[in-house]
Amino acid sequence: MRNLYPDRYYDKKEDVPFETYYEQGYRGVIFDIDNTLVPHDAPADEKAITFIAYLKKLGYRICLLSNNDKERVASFNEPLKVQYIYKGGKPLTKGYKKAMELMGTDVSNTLFVGDQIFTDIWGAKSAGLYSILLDPINPKEEIQIVLKRIPEKYIKWRYRRKRGLHSGCFDVEA
């Protein structure tokens, strides 16, 4: 059960204090794509391009880790020019480990950011990474993801209730 709990939970990627994490020694960020950086199946938009450029300017190495096929991930990455892994097999740990290898980072200095508990967070925690959960950008998703969102809502509700919070960020270690 512990691997289903993220280390931190934010409403959206813009709420994550990446500057603070960098000051704490984090140097790599592994991102899920769909509903983390852009709505499901959307191309990299100007907002995502600017966001990734900002993180690169801070000094982060970045890798996209997606369970999507090569065409989706490669085309999304074209304007971003970062490392990427397609058919990543999340929640298995192999993709997370490969991402760190590509970035030249390890579990001590790598963050993972995603929107799904049962793939993204479970895999990141199993790989030993500091995990950040975001709310999905857009509720329009494939049916298999929609079905996973039902138990995820309960888990998120438990997190918030246990800590007396209603939205925003919270530390599940607190």
Side-chain angles (χ1 to χ4, degrees):
M1 235 359 230
R2 191 73 184 144
N3 284 347
L4 298 179
Y5 299 157
D7 293 294
R8 297 287 284 197
Y9 172 30
Y10 298 90
D11 288 335
K12 57 190 181 301
K13 67 185 178 297
E14 294 81 9
D15 293 339
V16 181
F18 284 102
E19 303 87 358
T20 301
Y21 286 118
Y22 194 84
E23 290 169 6
Q24 292 172 354
Y26 289 96
R27 296 299 181 258
V29 184
I30 304 170
F31 279 103
D32 173 54
I33 297 173
D34 288 323
N35 261 341
T36 298
L37 293 173
V38 295
H40 192 75
D41 282 335
D45 58 14
E46 199 56 45
K47 191 174 178 182
I49 295 166
T50 302
F51 178 74
I52 294 297
Y54 170 72
L55 294 179
K56 288 167 139 182
K57 187 176 179 181
L58 281 177
Y60 282 108
R61 288 173 233 127
I62 298 168
C63 186
L64 307 174
L65 176 59
S66 176
N67 285 346
N68 274 301
D69 62 25
K70 183 177 183 177
E71 182 181 337
R72 163 70 176 136
V73 182
S75 65
F76 182 85
N77 185 51
E78 279 181 26
L80 303 178
K81 310 262 188 279
V82 297
Q83 300 286 338
Y84 68 90
I85 297 169
Y86 61 92
K87 292 189 179 180
K90 296 180 290 183
L92 301 176
T93 62
K94 183 179 178 182
Y96 299 88
K97 292 175 183 176
K98 179 67 175 173
M100 288 183 282
E101 181 182 315
L102 290 172
M103 294 186 298
T105 62
D106 58 43
V107 295
S108 72
N109 63 0
T110 305
L111 302 168
F112 175 82
V113 182
D115 70 295
Q116 292 188 55
I117 291 172
F118 296 107
T119 52
D120 297 333
I121 300 305
W122 187 2
K125 295 298 287 184
S126 295
L129 291 167
Y130 188 92
S131 64
I132 296 172
L133 177 67
L134 304 179
D135 282 332
I137 293 171
N138 186 334
K140 185 180 178 193
E141 299 176 298
E142 297 171 355
I143 188 65
Q144 71 270 19
I145 297 172
V146 171
L147 294 174
K148 288 187 227 173
R149 297 292 186 197
I150 296 167
E152 283 184 0
K153 284 181 184 178
Y154 173 72
I155 292 169
K156 288 177 183 180
W157 174 81
R158 279 191 60 209
Y159 290 167
R160 288 181 175 129
R161 184 170 178 244
K162 192 172 186 178
R163 287 155 185 83
L165 300 169
H166 302 289
S167 65
C169 161
F170 61 92
D171 184 347
V172 298
E173 299 299 325

